[in-house]
Amino acid sequence: MKRLPRRSTPAVLVALTVLAACVLAAVVSVQTLLGQDPWIDPHALFAAVHDTRWADPVVTLTAAVCVVLGAGLLLCAVLPGNPVVLPLRDDDPETRSTVDSGVTRRSLRNVLRTAASSVDGVTATRLTLGRRTITTTVSTDRTITDGLAAAVRGAVENRLDRIRPAIRPAVVVHVKARRTR
């Protein structure tokens, strides 16, 4: 079970652009039908487009911008993002059927951050979930930080053992002492 993220930001940007173009076309059409002066004169617009040449810098720049935006949207659609739900291991010998279960990245991050914060001497915790590593940066008010990184790593790994993710990430711990020796 790996649920990938939705690509909502690019979809919203494209939808808003298309909506704005459609609203503008509808408003200009209604203004023309009612005999009012339209916001954009279609005849002047068509004449300006008709008089431009393919070699004009405006056409080249517009085409380059469209190519870059299209390539960016295509990459957003094709490349997978970080999974939202991480699969959990199912190796219970008593059950014959497999159960698809998972944990969200946010929940896993919060649980592991709580485990790291529960270590004596830790005052602040920042935890980053990567594809293959979990990086934990803890702050402490202690002047001597010997053994603190090992204790935090042990707490996070103990919690990972209880959660049992399908792919076990490596745990990296950095300690920042607020006071100097």
Side-chain angles (χ1 to χ4, degrees), residues 38-167:
W39 290 345
I40 298 172
D41 185 18
H43 299 295
L45 179 65
F46 295 143
V49 170
H50 184 268
D51 292 339
T52 57
R53 306 240 182 250
W54 285 107
D56 286 347
V58 173
V59 174
T60 306
L61 182 65
T62 304
V65 168
C66 288
V67 165
V68 168
L69 287 175
L73 290 172
L74 188 63
L75 283 175
C76 284
V78 172
L79 295 178
N82 286 335
V84 177
V85 176
L86 302 173
L88 297 178
R89 197 170 46 209
D90 181 31
D91 53 356
D92 188 9
E94 295 180 12
T95 61
R96 294 180 188 257
S97 63
T98 61
V99 177
D100 284 336
S101 59
V103 62
T104 62
R105 292 179 66 84
R106 176 183 285 178
S107 296
L108 182 62
R109 186 173 39 247
N110 288 341
V111 166
L112 295 177
R113 186 182 303 129
T114 302
S117 297
S118 67
V119 175
D120 188 34
V122 174
T123 57
T125 305
R126 194 178 87 225
L127 192 128
T128 307
L129 286 177
R131 288 193 184 271
R132 300 279 183 223
T133 60
I134 297 172
T135 305
T136 307
T137 304
V138 294
S139 299
T140 182
D141 288 334
R142 292 182 177 178
T143 55
I144 300 172
T145 60
D146 297 338
L148 187 60
V152 170
R153 183 178 298 108
V156 171
E157 287 178 348
N158 183 27
R159 189 61 56 99
L160 275 174
D161 289 339
R162 292 173 54 196
I163 295 172
R164 299 175 9 167
I167 297 173

